[in-house]
Amino acid sequence: IYGEDKIKKVLELLDGTKTSLIVSFHDFKKTPSRDELVSILKQQIAAGAHVAKLAAMPQKEEDVLNVLSATLEVRRQFPCIPIITMSMGPTGAVTRLVGGLFGSDLTFAVGSQSSAPGQIPVAELRQCFNVIHPTHTEA
């Protein structure tokens, strides 16, 4: 899916450094099925990703639930591998708030300029995190 040979070559270049490899999948048009999302994350991990990441555009609310459900399944199978997942756009914005409850280790917020649809301004995200994650730590 990503070119395992290319990933292996990058990993060889990173060997002995303090740099981690994030293998990322983006679909700006749709959300693959839940099973496909799980498969994508597992393929990234199997290929040697230090961090597995995916972002997809929901067409319906169920797509958002599929991203969260896939995240939870992969988190439970691979508790020590960092995972970053999100559903994009206004419909998917909730994943940026609650993804951590399902196993996503990181989210993205707007500082001065958005880099993807559905990102929440950092000040608003912090307010929400104070309610949803009262013991969270900020980077």
Side-chain angles (χ1 to χ4, degrees), residues 65-122:
L65 296 174
N66 284 338
V67 168
L68 293 172
S69 178
T71 304
L72 183 59
E73 179 177 330
V74 174
R75 167 54 58 227
R76 287 181 174 163
Q77 290 181 29
F78 300 93
C80 297
I81 303 289
I83 301 169
I84 303 169
T85 62
M86 74 266 319
S87 193
M88 296 183 281
T91 302
V94 67
T95 63
R96 297 173 185 277
L97 301 172
V98 300
L101 299 174
F102 294 84
S104 184
D105 292 302
L106 186 128
T107 192
F108 295 82
V110 176
S112 59
Q113 185 176 347
S114 176
S115 63
Q119 286 182 347
I120 300 165
V122 69

Side-chain angles (χ1 to χ4, degrees), residues 6-139:
K6 288 183 182 181
I7 292 171
K8 298 289 183 209
K9 287 179 184 176
V10 172
L11 288 169
E12 288 173 14
L13 292 171
L14 296 178
D15 192 36
T17 71
K18 294 181 180 182
T19 304
S20 295
L21 176 63
I22 299 173
V23 177
S24 184
F25 169 89
H26 287 79
D27 191 328
F28 286 96
K29 295 184 182 191
K30 64 179 175 30
T31 300
S33 72
R34 182 194 177 283
D35 289 344
E36 288 175 284
L37 295 169
V38 169
S39 177
I40 289 165
L41 290 168
K42 286 182 171 183
Q43 286 176 27
Q44 292 173 337
I45 293 166
H50 298 126
V51 179
K53 178 180 181 267
L54 69 80
M57 185 63 73
Q59 298 300 310
K60 57 189 184 256
E61 290 80 5
E62 289 83 357
D63 290 340
V64 176
L65 296 174
N66 284 338
V67 168
L68 293 172
S69 178
T71 304
L72 183 59
E73 179 177 330
V74 174
R75 167 54 58 227
R76 287 181 174 163
Q77 290 181 29
F78 300 93
C80 297
I81 303 289
I83 301 169
I84 303 169
T85 62
M86 74 266 319
S87 193
M88 296 183 281
T91 302
V94 67
T95 63
R96 297 173 185 277
L97 301 172
V98 300
L101 299 174
F102 294 84
S104 184
D105 292 302
L106 186 128
T107 192
F108 295 82
V110 176
S112 59
Q113 185 176 347
S114 176
S115 63
Q119 286 182 347
I120 300 165
V122 69
E124 292 176 27
L125 190 65
R126 282 186 177 136
Q127 288 177 333
C128 292
F129 272 14
N130 287 334
V131 173
I132 297 169
H133 310 279
T135 60
H136 81 281
T137 57
E138 292 181 16

